[in-house]
Structure formats: structure tokens, C-alpha cells
Amino acid sequence: MNSMDIGIDLGTATVIIYDTNEGVLLDEPSVVAIETRTGEVKAVGADAYRMIGKTPANITAIRPLQEGVISDYKVTEAMIKYFLNKVCHNKIFKPRMAICVPTGITPVEIQAVEEAAQVAGARKVYLIEEPVAAAIGAGIDISKPEGHLVVDVGGGTTDIAVLSLNGIVCKSSLKVAGNVFDQAIVKYVRAKYGVLIGERMAERMKMEIGSAQPLDPEKSAECKGRNLLTGLPCKLTLTSGELQKALEEPVSQIVREVKKVMELTPPELVSDLFTNGAVLTGGGAKLDGLDRVLQQAIKAPARVAEEPELCVAKGTGKSFQFLNELFDGFVDSNRTNYQEQAAQQQEQ
């Protein structure tokens, strides 16, 4: 790394570190395995992910981020430090970091992300809202007076925004995304077959045969779990039609939220959306048929960005070019502190 400017997609499911010169430096699950008695970190990332559901009583594999925000500060700090050491090696100079955050993040959550990154070794921390980063990473020119609708379906949240003239016109964040898709599959299999499957198995089924629309021909895949009646291991075959039913409600929630954002969009920009359409980013955008369902619902074009799972990370890495241009969606600790002080003075 030459620039020492890195972008981090600090996601609920995955952490991606991106450098504009070298591309993706790291792409690993945001999972940490911890010794419960001592609090010692035993494994991070891919190594910890392989332990999910397979650890003894004294070790637990956890996700320190839930619904896009930090749920365990110390573990998040340890995870960021581990990943930074992995990509920066023995660099003397600390990097500047741009980290994506969900739309609607609270001041307390902003402070938690900034402090975790600074303690982990960042020289300077910038926070960028996910739809803005996703738009930049997808190659959308948001500087023009045109409306662009971005729907970022991540692991913990779906962030929706209409962007124009380097700013966010209207936005929303929904705590329904990839992880909720997985939970819906677990719930469906348990209710219909009396079989309990794990988080990793549900994710695998989603990736192999998951669909937001009925498929012709149908796909099928073998699923392994535990029969709740006998307590014994078992196998069953799931079809894409079954998963489409299981995912119908969370997909509908996302569609409804997109329509709400469009209803708040000024008429002049709504007309642009019928030309530019909606761009889907994030790992959840890879769900088969999600773009077609959205297109039918909003009566406007919808497409999945190229390498949707990397759009936010790419945009975060490239965001240093826009430090003085973005009017909304980009905030650093100095600006946050200044805004808090200004608000306090107004109250007094």
C-alpha cells in the first residue's frame, strides 16, 4: 500500500478493505471467536467463521456488528486491529480510513465506530453513508443534477437513497437484509419439516437456490440439519419455489421501503428515476430475481451493479477524492464534534 488511504466496508456479515491503487486487500467474514472465561480472541475472520456452530462450551464465535452497527465495542476493536495488521503489515505510518455506516446511524453509534477505528490504529477516520459509497463504487456520477436511486442490500441493513448534485435528497434504512433472509429460511424449514438447520446451511441454500421470483425450471439442493422430533441428523431436498415463499415477506418489506422513498422524492427527480432506474448493490442484491421484483413494483428500470458485493468497499476507498465535494452523507470526527458543539450553543 502506497497511499495509506484505505476504505473499509465494515459490514454485519463481511469486512472488505479496499485500496484505490491495489484493489481489494481483504475480504473476510466479520466473525470473532472468543474464549468465554478469559475474553481472549482465539480467531478472527475466515478462521472464526469456520467455527460457527462447532465450538466447545468455552469458546464462542460471535458477530460483533449487528444490523450494521457495533454491538460489542471491544471485540470490534480487536477485529479491526487484526485486519489492519493483516493488510498494513509493518507500515510505520498509520492509514487514513473511510468507513461506511448505515443511513440513520445515531451520534452514539458514530462515536463507537470512530473510536474503535482510532484505537485499532487509524490516523484519521471518515464515515460515509452506505448508499453514497455504493453509488460511487457502482460508477454513478452523482455530481450531476439528476436523480439516482441506490438500493444497498447488505448483511444487516438495506439502505435506500435518492442522490443528486453530490447530496442525498431522501433516504431510508431498513433492518431487513441478508441475515434476515437466512433467518427466514431457518424458520421456514423448521415450521414445514420440523428440521433445525444452522446459519451457514441457510446461507448456502440462499446462495444456491434462493430466489425472489418463481424460477422455471425450478432448482433444488440438499439441506442437512437435525430432526427436532428424533434429535438425529437428517437430510432433505429444498426447491427454489420453497425458498421463494420463505423469502417473500422480507423481499416485500424492502420493496415497500423503496416505494416510500420514491414517494418522498421531488417530482423532477422522480422523472429521472424512470430513465436512470434503480441500482442494486450489496451481497443481498445477488438474490436471483430481486431486481425484477423491484422493477415490476416501482414501474421503472432496476439493475444489479457489477460486482455488487464490492460496490460499497470500492466507493469507500475512492471517497477520499470527494472529501470537499459531497454535501451530505460524508462526515468525520471533527465535523461531528463541531456539529454537536453548535447544537449545544443553540440550545443555550
Side-chain angles (χ1 to χ4, degrees):
M1 284 190 338
N2 299 319
S3 67
M4 295 305 291
D5 288 341
I6 59 174
I8 302 181
D9 179 2
L10 195 62
T12 303
T14 308
V15 173
I16 303 175
I17 299 180
Y18 184 86
D19 176 76
T20 51
N21 295 323
E22 301 181 31
V24 176
L25 303 176
L26 180 139
D27 184 351
E28 294 197 26
S30 47
V31 181
V32 181
I34 295 176
E35 163 64 62
T36 54
R37 288 173 295 188
T38 64
E40 179 188 357
V41 175
K42 307 296 290 185
V44 180
D47 293 337
Y49 180 75
R50 286 191 285 269
M51 296 182 183
I52 292 178
K54 301 179 180 181
T55 57
N58 63 315
I59 296 177
T60 179
I62 66 170
R63 295 187 183 274
L65 292 112
Q66 297 293 330
E67 298 175 342
V69 295
I70 293 175
S71 61
D72 192 314
Y73 175 82
K74 289 187 177 180
V75 176
T76 301
E77 177 190 310
M79 181 178 71
I80 295 174
K81 183 178 289 188
Y82 174 86
F83 286 146
L84 277 183
N85 289 336
K86 197 168 184 178
V87 300
C88 294
H89 306 297
N90 296 318
K91 291 282 185 180
I92 297 174
F93 299 104
K94 294 181 178 181
R96 290 195 305 173
M97 286 187 212
I99 302 177
C100 70
V101 292
T103 294
I105 187 171
T106 67
V108 173
E109 292 163 347
I110 287 173
Q111 188 175 3
V113 175
E114 289 177 339
E115 289 182 357
Q118 287 167 349
V119 172
R123 182 172 90 249
K124 181 73 175 175
V125 181
Y126 300 90
L127 303 183
I128 182 169
E129 293 190 42
E130 288 186 5
V132 179
I136 295 171
I140 298 173
D141 185 358
I142 61 174
S143 64
K144 296 180 180 179
E146 294 181 0
H148 294 275
L149 176 62
V150 176
V151 182
D152 181 61
V153 188
T157 61
T158 294
D159 291 277
I160 307 152
V162 174
L163 308 170
S164 178
L165 290 172
N166 288 329
I168 299 174
V169 179
C170 49
K171 61 186 179 181
S172 181
S173 184
L174 186 67
K175 293 179 179 179
V176 175
N179 287 352
V180 173
F181 291 166
D182 298 341
Q183 293 163 14
I185 294 171
V186 171
K187 184 178 178 180
Y188 175 85
V189 174
R190 180 170 186 159
K192 183 170 182 179
Y193 296 101
V195 173
L196 181 63
I197 63 173
E199 174 187 331
R200 291 178 60 186
M201 180 59 65
E203 184 180 23
R204 202 188 93 191
M205 292 296 101
K206 176 185 69 178
M207 295 173 68
E208 288 186 10
I209 62 171
S211 176
Q213 276 190 331
L215 298 181
D216 187 19
E218 275 198 335
K219 297 179 181 178
S220 62
E222 187 178 76
C223 179
K224 299 175 183 178
R226 185 178 80 240
N227 188 299
L228 293 173
L229 187 62
T230 65
L232 300 175
C234 66
K235 297 179 182 179
L236 61 137
T237 299
L238 296 176
T239 66
S240 57
E242 289 181 297
L243 262 63
Q244 186 262 324
K245 292 178 183 177
L247 298 173
E248 190 172 13
E249 178 52 31
V251 167
S252 296
Q253 287 181 265
I254 292 173
V255 170
R256 286 196 296 268
E257 200 65 24
V258 172
K259 292 170 78 173
K260 285 181 183 178
V261 171
M262 291 185 71
E263 288 171 3
L264 298 173
T265 305
E268 293 81 1
L269 292 179
V270 170
S271 62
D272 291 337
L273 301 185
F274 284 97
T275 303
N276 298 325
V279 178
L280 280 74
T281 62
K286 298 172 75 174
L287 180 67
D288 196 352
L290 182 58
D291 56 335
R292 297 190 295 275
V293 169
L294 184 59
Q295 181 168 302
Q296 291 172 3
I298 65 175
K299 310 300 181 185
R303 65 179 177 87
V304 178
E306 185 178 348
E307 295 184 309
E309 70 280 9
L310 297 181
C311 284
V312 171
K314 287 180 180 179
T316 307
K318 295 176 181 177
S319 64
F320 293 97
Q321 304 168 24
F322 300 89
L323 279 173
N324 299 317
E325 296 178 18
L326 288 174
F327 296 120
D328 195 6
F330 204 48
V331 63
D332 64 49
S333 54
N334 288 340
R335 293 179 195 172
T336 301
N337 293 337
Y338 173 78
Q339 289 169 351
E340 288 176 352
Q341 291 170 7
Q344 289 172 359
Q345 288 174 359
Q346 286 180 355
E347 288 177 2
Q348 293 172 356

